[in-house]
Amino acid sequence: MGGMDQFNTAGEDITLFRDMLLRCLEKEVIPHYDQWEKDGWMPKEAWLMLGAAGMLAPDMPEEYGAAGAPFEVNQMILEETCRLNLHALSTALNVHANIVAPYVNNLGTPEQKAHWLPKMITGEVVGSIGMTEPGAGSDLAGMRTTAVREGDEFVINGSKTFITNGLHCGLLVLAAKTDPSKGAKGITLFLVDSSLPGFKKGKGIQKMGQHSNDTAELFFDNLRVPASAVLGGLNQGFIHLMQELPRERLGIGSQAIGACEGAMAATVDYVTQRKAFGQSVSQFQNTRFKMAELRAQLELTKAYWKQCLHRFKAGVMSTEEASILKLTSTELQVKVTHECLQLFGGYGYTAEYPISRFFADARVQTIYAGTSEIMKEMIARSELGR
Ligand SMILES: Cc1cc2nc3c(=O)[nH]c(=O)nc-3n(C[C@H](O)[C@H](O)[C@H](O)COP(=O)(O)OP(=O)(O)OC[C@H]3O[C@@H](n4cnc5c(N)ncnc54)[C@H](O)[C@@H]3O)c2cc1C
């Protein structure tokens, strides 16, 4: 079971929400999930169902219709959905509930919060975040989408790519250049309503895993937003991204921990049943040592993750700590799913056994939200200076 309740002051809430979540997933998600994976997205009704079940951003304030639960409850949702091999759903929720909702709640005006948060909590509006462009991923300061002030409006032109929840997107937290001469210091965030004229969604991007979250390219063609759509301060976008990215990376750490646990549990089941050379695969020393090694690394990573949860809650988790967690937990997830798949033999490569999905879904974890190389850069910066 999940790793959080024993150590946490939010233990009771987590247990209560976990029971509700597991019931909801068992009844409303797991029976349909294979179909969603084939379709390349989950239907809008699924978002509304999750909203009605109280599973979308339960840690947002009660005044917007959420439960006002401790923030760990949201992390538990990310962890458990990955443990149950529902990684695509987990990533959709990480963006909607662990990234976009906190951006609105932390940076928004009272009017912006009252407008967007209630609809995000019911699932009526699905949230996305648009930072990456075809020509600017790791190097965000190189983005070319512009927002030019005209009277009481900004006119936005450009495009974004790899946007999670891009097809369902109702609200986009968009990063655009308001002062292109100033590089990173000329970026502003906007809350963009996707129903506005000039907002176009491309086709869904075909991926090697996490099929049932929709990933899309978005285009802005003379898209006019009111000046009241600015989120946070003008030209403060990069600073806001740096403030909020640690939470995104913590969420990815929670996903990685859940996925490692789920993949290892599926492997234990398999290797204890499968026979070769007159004994079960679990009796080979190689299997035992592999599983022992993975367990040891996972327990150490979990200890660091729990420390990060505590420090985030206390408001003191640093960018370096978030980078260490993202780097180590996602690299471990890739390793665990790779090693576990090997222990399934040929069956591991088939869609019929769960490990193939654990494996394929894991791969992007070391890429999005800052690649492992960028995480190393961040850590090195705090170790050695620039
Ligand atoms: C499934 C999926 C979902 C995504 N969801 C979103 C989303 O919702 N919103 C969003 O804005 N973006 C999203 N992304 C984009 C993601 O964050 C970027 O793909 C990622 O940041 C890397 O950027 P890039 O693809 O342009 O690679 P590049 O930046 O071109 O990197 C190519 C290679 O160069 C390396 N590299 C780059 N700079 C350095 C350096 N300084 N030192 C060493 N190595 C370096 C990288 O690590 C990588 O190995 C998503 C991506 C995927 C695949």
Side-chain angles (χ1 to χ4, degrees):
M1 287 299 274
M4 266 192 258
D5 15 10
Q6 322 86 314
F7 77 98
N8 213 294
T9 50
E12 266 180 38
D13 292 290
I14 291 174
T15 306
L16 187 78
F17 272 93
R18 178 180 285 119
D19 289 347
M20 280 166 29
L21 173 73
L22 294 182
R23 273 201 302 275
C24 161
L25 295 176
E26 203 168 301
K27 197 158 160 260
E28 309 278 3
V29 172
I30 292 170
H32 310 292
Y33 196 76
D34 284 349
Q35 189 58 48
W36 299 350
E37 284 281 290
K38 284 188 188 125
D39 294 344
W41 77 342
M42 58 180 196
K44 184 64 189 281
E45 296 77 56
W47 282 99
L48 296 170
M49 178 282 295
L50 289 164
M55 293 300 142
L56 297 180
D59 56 339
M60 288 293 117
E62 285 171 88
E63 58 185 300
Y64 305 118
F71 107 100
E72 294 93 325
V73 168
N74 210 24
Q75 302 301 311
M76 175 279 294
I77 294 175
L78 301 175
E79 178 200 359
E80 286 292 291
T81 42
C82 279
R83 188 180 63 81
L84 293 168
N85 213 359
L86 309 170
H87 208 312
L89 168 64
S90 188
T91 297
L93 294 178
N94 191 26
V95 170
H96 177 85
N98 189 48
I99 301 172
V100 177
Y103 267 81
V104 177
N105 193 43
N106 294 340
L107 301 169
T109 62
E111 293 73 27
Q112 288 172 329
K113 293 192 225 190
H115 182 73
W116 289 111
L117 286 176
K119 293 182 208 154
M120 289 188 68
I121 286 152
T122 60
E124 184 188 335
V125 163
V126 175
S128 304
I129 179 150
M131 299 178 274
T132 308
E133 298 186 359
S138 302
D139 182 13
L140 272 183
M143 70 176 63
R144 297 173 68 161
T145 296
T146 53
V148 178
R149 179 106 197 200
E150 277 187 18
D152 286 344
E153 295 178 321
F154 282 87
V155 184
I156 300 175
N157 280 290
S159 68
K160 295 285 168 182
T161 194
F162 293 131
I163 305 308
T164 301
N165 302 333
L167 297 179
H168 276 304
C169 172
L171 167 65
L172 177 70
V173 172
L174 172 73
K177 285 263 171 81
T178 30
D179 190 345
S181 68
K182 287 199 186 142
K185 291 186 180 144
I187 294 172
T188 300
L189 300 182
F190 293 88
L191 292 174
V192 181
D193 181 336
S194 71
S195 66
L196 289 171
F199 191 116
K200 295 198 187 78
K201 298 176 180 176
K203 276 202 225 134
I205 296 171
Q206 303 285 312
K207 314 191 290 292
M208 66 177 273
Q210 298 202 24
H211 302 293
S212 54
N213 68 44
D214 47 304
T215 312
E217 204 167 351
L218 301 176
F219 304 94
F220 320 110
D221 180 12
N222 288 321
L223 166 69
R224 288 178 173 271
V225 299
S228 60
V230 170
L231 178 65
L234 191 69
N235 293 327
Q236 299 293 303
F238 205 76
I239 294 168
H240 294 325
L241 291 173
M242 294 306 117
Q243 284 164 345
E244 298 293 326
L245 271 166
R247 177 166 174 156
E248 176 171 357
R249 292 174 182 152
L250 183 59
I252 287 179
S254 302
Q255 292 184 292
I257 298 295
C260 288
E261 287 290 2
M264 287 188 66
T267 307
V268 168
D269 273 356
Y270 186 81
V271 296
T272 46
Q273 283 166 31
R274 178 75 177 168
K275 298 265 186 309
F277 297 94
Q279 58 180 340
S280 80
V281 170
S282 64
Q283 288 169 301
F284 295 123
Q285 191 189 50
N286 175 65
T287 310
R288 304 180 73 76
F289 279 15
K290 283 280 180 219
M291 293 302 278
E293 192 186 312
L294 296 177
R295 173 53 63 193
Q297 290 178 15
L298 179 54
E299 288 306 314
L300 285 179
T301 308
K302 268 163 78 171
Y304 191 74
W305 166 63
K306 288 173 186 178
Q307 180 177 310
C308 285
L309 288 167
H310 277 306
R311 289 181 55 77
F312 181 85
K313 188 156 188 165
V316 293
M317 186 184 75
S318 68
T319 302
E320 183 193 15
E321 288 169 307
S323 305
I324 291 173
L325 178 68
K326 202 228 168 217
L327 173 67
T328 50
S329 65
T330 60
E331 292 289 345
L332 180 62
Q333 182 184 353
V334 168
K335 178 174 176 183
V336 163
T337 54
H338 174 79
E339 301 274 20
C340 285
L341 190 148
Q342 186 71 17
L343 296 174
F344 278 71
Y347 295 96
Y349 197 65
T350 66
E352 216 170 301
Y353 283 81
I355 197 68
S356 58
R357 186 193 287 160
F358 275 117
F359 173 81
D361 288 354
R363 191 61 190 84
V364 73
Q365 287 267 95
T366 63
I367 295 172
Y368 54 23
T371 62
S372 287
E373 293 73 31
I374 296 298
M375 294 305 97
K376 288 178 192 170
E377 270 299 321
M378 312 285 278
I379 300 162
R381 231 173 256 178
S382 99
E383 197 68 20
L384 303 164
R386 272 176 190 269

